[in-house]
Amino acid sequence: CCMQLKNSRKMNMSIMRLKTKVLLLLGMVSILVSCTGNAAKETPIVEIVEDTMVAYPGRTFSYSAKFSDAQDKQLVAAQRLGLSTPPKDRVAAAKMKKRLTLIKSNENYIVDSLDHSIPYLVPAAAAELQRIGEGFADILKRNGLPHYRFYVTSILRTQDDVKQLQRRNSNATNNSCHCYGTTFDLAYFRFEKAQPSREYMHQDNLKLVLGQVLLNEQRAGNIYVKYEKKQACFHITVRE
């Protein structure tokens, strides 16, 4: 009888300890939830309104006059520096990837959704695109301007890509520089701010910044550039 009583007391004590632990745990959870709720209330989301336009103070120039490197001139460079044989289709292009560099979006530019091309360039052209991106970011930074990224809208095209493109663009040529992995297009009316801020820049002014970078590279003998009005892009082929 004494033994049963002793066991009963031990069981009751164990139950009491368990209840105490459960109550403590529930209390801690309640405090945690309460703190989290208060923190959420105390940290409202503030929408940043763009209300201060800033600008690059560079001098404007005629894009058509400065960037008039014709297709035949660019094609010679493309054939000399690019793929020896333009890929017929995407399957053929996949077999050439060891000779090409994959182009991905980074902190300075965005690779657009490519309908009639694939994101690959020969190493020299990939390095030039990287240099243009760094030059664009550098001008913005040196002038205390917001950091923007530009868009790469066309890169390596296969012969099949060219045929499909010709159905909607009569100006697309059969022997395109894009087929050699040396050529890429940069949109001049599409830019994206990297981080939200009150300061913003006009598209025309960002176009001027990008144009200045290309002008510097052209003068250095690194690229050929054609100003494409209908496609709203700078058509660029590496030349060194």
Side-chain angles (χ1 to χ4, degrees), residues 54-61 63 67 108 131-150 186-191 200-218 223 234 236:
V54 291
Y56 168 59
R59 293 178 61 183
T60 59
F61 59 91
Y63 301 107
F67 301 141
N108 297 325
R131 188 158 53 241
I132 291 169
E134 291 171 355
F136 182 75
D138 182 61
I139 288 180
L140 295 176
K141 184 177 180 180
R142 282 191 288 110
N143 287 275
L145 300 170
H147 183 56
Y148 281 81
R149 298 191 291 171
F150 56 81
L186 306 182
Y188 55 66
F189 275 143
R190 292 179 64 196
F191 300 91
Y200 70 96
M201 297 176 68
H202 195 277
Q203 299 277 11
D204 283 330
N205 194 240
L206 286 162
K207 177 183 178 181
L208 177 61
V209 175
L210 183 55
Q212 184 61 62
V213 176
L214 299 182
L215 190 61
N216 294 342
E217 289 298 298
Q218 184 191 55
I223 57 174
F234 295 115
I236 301 158

